[in-house]
Amino acid sequence: MQNIMNIKKKIAALVGETVELESDHGRNKLVKKEGKIVNAYPGVFTVEVYLNNEDQSIISYSYSDVLCERVKIMGL
């Protein structure tokens, strides 16, 4: 069983790594993205997402999103 502290440690170890994310946007809408984990803060972590060849965006997620499986990091 995972808890918040384990998730924080695993995500902190992935800072700088490229990961695949799957986020649940409700009503059977799953959005898959690829990006690089930029920072891991005490309450959230940020991911630089590649939108297309030139555009990038930074999105923040909470560790509870991962715990409740609203956000899945492939391979975590």
Side-chain angles (χ1 to χ4, degrees):
M1 181 174 172
Q2 290 197 5
N3 62 32
I4 294 285
M5 293 308 294
N6 289 341
I7 291 170
K8 284 183 181 183
K9 288 178 187 176
K10 289 179 181 180
I11 291 175
L14 291 174
V15 170
E17 299 289 327
T18 300
V19 296
E20 291 182 23
L21 300 164
E22 187 176 276
S23 56
D24 183 1
H25 287 255
R27 300 193 52 92
N28 298 323
K29 296 178 188 171
L30 293 177
V31 177
K32 293 184 178 184
K33 300 175 184 175
E34 183 176 319
K36 180 174 69 172
I37 297 179
V38 180
N39 283 311
Y41 299 105
V44 297
F45 62 98
T46 56
V47 180
E48 185 177 52
V49 177
Y50 313 122
L51 302 174
N52 56 38
N53 291 340
E54 297 177 8
D55 294 331
Q56 298 173 346
S57 178
I58 294 181
I59 302 174
S60 64
Y61 297 103
S62 70
Y63 300 108
S64 63
D65 289 336
V66 178
L67 181 66
C68 296
E69 297 184 352
R70 289 186 295 263
V71 174
K72 295 180 183 176
I73 300 174
M74 304 306 154
L76 183 65

